[in-house]
Amino acid sequence: MSLYLKPFLFLYDSTLSLLLLLFNGWSLEDPAAAHERLEADNNAAESEWMQIQYLWRKTRSLVLLPVFKGLVIMCLVLSIIVFFESFYMNIVIFFGKLLRRKPEKLYKWEAMQEDVEAGSENYPKVLVQIPMYNEKEVFQISIAAVCSLLWPSSRLVIQVVDDSTDPVVREGVDIEIAKWQSQGINIRCERRDNRNGYKAGAMKEALTHNYVKQCDFVAVFDADFQPDPDYLARTIPFLVHNPDVALVQARWIFVNANKCLMTRMQEMSLNYHFKVEQESGFTRHAFFGFNGTAGVWRISAMDAAGGWKSRTTVEDMDLAVRVGLHGWKFVYLNDLTVRNELPSKFKAYRFQQHRWSCGPANLFRKMTMEIIYNKRVSIWKKFYVIYSFFFVRKVAVHFLTFFFYCIIVPTSVFFPEIHIPLWSTIYVPSMISIFHTMATPRSFYLVIIWILFENVMAMHRTKGTWIGLLEGGRVNEWVVTEKLGDALKNKLLSKVVQKKSYYERVNSKEVMVGIYILGCALYGVINGHTWLHFYLFLQATAFFVSGFGYIGT
């Protein structure tokens, strides 16, 4: 029997020998020498690891710590700048209300009345423009609202500036216009065969028609805006009786603010913009940024400043700055409101915020030297435009919000040697948040959620700001903000919005930042950062909620 097993034993021994040679090499040294060599290798590896640790400690102490400390100091300086800017604006608003500095007291205002002999001919001729692009859900709303404005029909021209490429939308607009024309309304549609310059290009070309030359003023309403009938009666007198006034701007209010939590957050941010930023600029400097809609311009002032330009995606702000540098004054009416719709889809809101952050930063880059060398306005006003209007509100605040609270503060758990003072992480942001929520008292209880959501959106605003400053690839990207119109009221969202798959809803940037902040939070828990990780867990959750698409409609 053993005779038959010998070949198998030989194969077994041969296989073991080959495996030993494969893993241990063709060494013929004795076991003692092999053991000594192994110990030497271990010692060398241990020495190499110690060298790596030494190099890491040196790199950390000589490079990473000073760099991180410098970034912290920079963010602390920005925190002070942003805080005092917010504090200053609120102080201006407080004293303005205390002294009752209303527009009607600062500027002459008298209601327009028909002349006994001339009738309505003493009314200035007003052009109303409604720019739109494939606004399928809302064009009827805006056209109906504008056609209901109370103004002598012989002194009013309504111009639908339609860049739509969808034939169904174009046909619908034509039918709506024909309906109002049959009722005696002077309304017409202007189209072009290209989209050069987007909104600015369309508006500029629409102003070149002969009948526009008879008009003194032009009011602008985007396709989802619904002015009240007395809008012109309340705004035009400021332009008629004050020849140095070029723009009258109304405040926005929102028909779908209660639609979802995301629209509530937007309402809080935009209310602060109008009630604090716009009003303080008007009160202190008679200057603010035109919001692109719900405003009335003096056409001669626009022409003197060069009219509409499409060099950035914020043609409205571009026009306002150029007109302001010509010495014209602007009037902001906080008591006059115009209804409009907030984007209720997260993707639409992200695109809007990219445009609203990229465009101003790019305009800042293009106009800084033009502002500095301007001879028509005072040094103080130039400083206000460059420092407050552009640098602090359009650049610094976005960078600080994301980079400090979403990158530097989480990363500080890895650098316990560097102390970030509590005033910068608790007291200053708390005060700034209180200033913001004062503009929307009904949403005060949502302030924590608003802070977390604003930090998420600051990522997109910061990215847009850098693209604008550096003139990156998406600097002139223009995506029209999607509106849902009556679908919101009638609960027809399922017919308007196609449901996306789970993977299509995922926003990778938010998820990646959320994972990083969560990792920092877990590290903080393990290493005893007793207070910081609570904030980090909340902020990571906000990024995950946004990242996985559980926000908006």
Side-chain angles (χ1 to χ4, degrees), residues 92-93 95-109 234 238 242 279 282-283 330-336:
V92 170
I93 296 300
F95 280 103
K97 293 185 180 300
L98 185 66
L99 300 175
R100 298 181 179 179
R101 291 172 57 87
K102 291 190 174 183
E104 292 81 359
K105 291 186 176 181
L106 298 174
Y107 296 90
K108 184 179 179 181
W109 188 94
R234 295 178 63 180
F238 283 104
N242 301 277
E279 189 162 5
F282 159 65
T283 302
F330 300 166
V331 174
Y332 170 72
L333 302 180
N334 190 63
D335 296 332
L336 179 61

Side-chain angles (χ1 to χ4, degrees), residues 151-214:
W151 200 256
S153 58
S154 62
R155 311 301 294 169
L156 181 65
V157 180
I158 300 173
Q159 190 182 67
V160 178
V161 185
D162 185 20
D163 259 7
S164 299
T165 55
D166 186 342
V168 176
V169 176
R170 291 165 70 103
E171 182 181 1
V173 170
D174 291 338
I175 293 173
E176 188 69 15
I177 289 175
K179 182 183 76 174
W180 288 101
Q181 286 176 336
S182 65
Q183 299 179 32
I185 302 297
N186 186 6
I187 181 173
R188 60 188 72 196
C189 182
E190 300 296 347
R191 292 193 175 101
R192 53 188 187 148
D193 57 3
N194 61 75
R195 290 201 67 216
N196 296 337
Y198 301 111
K199 179 181 175 181
M203 302 274 278
K204 185 173 184 176
E205 185 171 319
L207 288 175
T208 61
H209 295 281
N210 289 329
Y211 62 86
V212 174
K213 297 177 182 178
Q214 304 171 14

Side-chain angles (χ1 to χ4, degrees), residues 300-366:
S300 60
M302 295 174 63
D303 293 338
W308 293 105
K309 290 186 178 182
S310 58
R311 57 181 174 174
T312 70
T313 56
V314 283
E315 72 294 323
D316 43 14
M317 186 182 295
D318 188 347
L319 178 62
V321 173
R322 285 185 284 110
V323 172
L325 291 177
H326 274 69
W328 293 92
K329 295 180 180 180
F330 300 166
V331 174
Y332 170 72
L333 302 180
N334 190 63
D335 296 332
L336 179 61
T337 59
V338 179
R339 301 181 304 280
N340 74 103
E341 180 185 323
L342 292 165
S344 58
K345 293 174 64 178
F346 186 52
K347 183 178 180 181
Y349 185 52
R350 285 172 58 189
F351 278 122
Q352 182 198 69
Q353 292 304 296
H354 171 84
R355 188 173 80 246
W356 285 6
S357 56
C358 180
N362 190 234
L363 184 64
F364 181 36
R365 171 191 170 114
K366 293 178 184 297

Side-chain angles (χ1 to χ4, degrees), residues 240-281:
V240 171
H241 300 299
N242 301 277
D244 58 345
V245 171
L247 168 67
V248 181
Q249 173 74 57
R251 177 166 61 90
W252 299 1
I253 57 174
F254 313 102
V255 297
N256 64 329
N258 296 323
K259 182 61 186 176
C260 61
L261 192 58
M262 190 183 80
T263 53
R264 289 290 295 273
M265 301 300 102
Q266 292 178 67
E267 181 192 38
M268 294 173 68
S269 299
L270 287 171
N271 279 351
Y272 177 81
H273 166 69
F274 280 100
K275 295 182 179 181
V276 178
E277 293 179 346
Q278 296 291 76
E279 189 162 5
S280 65

Side-chain angles (χ1 to χ4, degrees), residues 37-53:
R37 184 177 58 79
L38 185 60
E39 280 192 359
D41 291 343
N42 289 338
N43 291 335
E46 185 176 348
S47 175
E48 186 177 350
W49 174 245
M50 292 178 64
Q51 288 180 352
I52 293 173
Q53 287 183 313

Side-chain angles (χ1 to χ4, degrees), residues 57 70 101 116 218 247 261 283 373 398 407 418 426 456 507 540:
R57 286 194 296 268
R101 291 172 57 87
V116 177
V218 55
L247 168 67
L261 192 58
T283 302
Y373 290 122
H398 302 323
I407 302 296
I418 297 180
I426 296 180
V456 173
N507 303 300

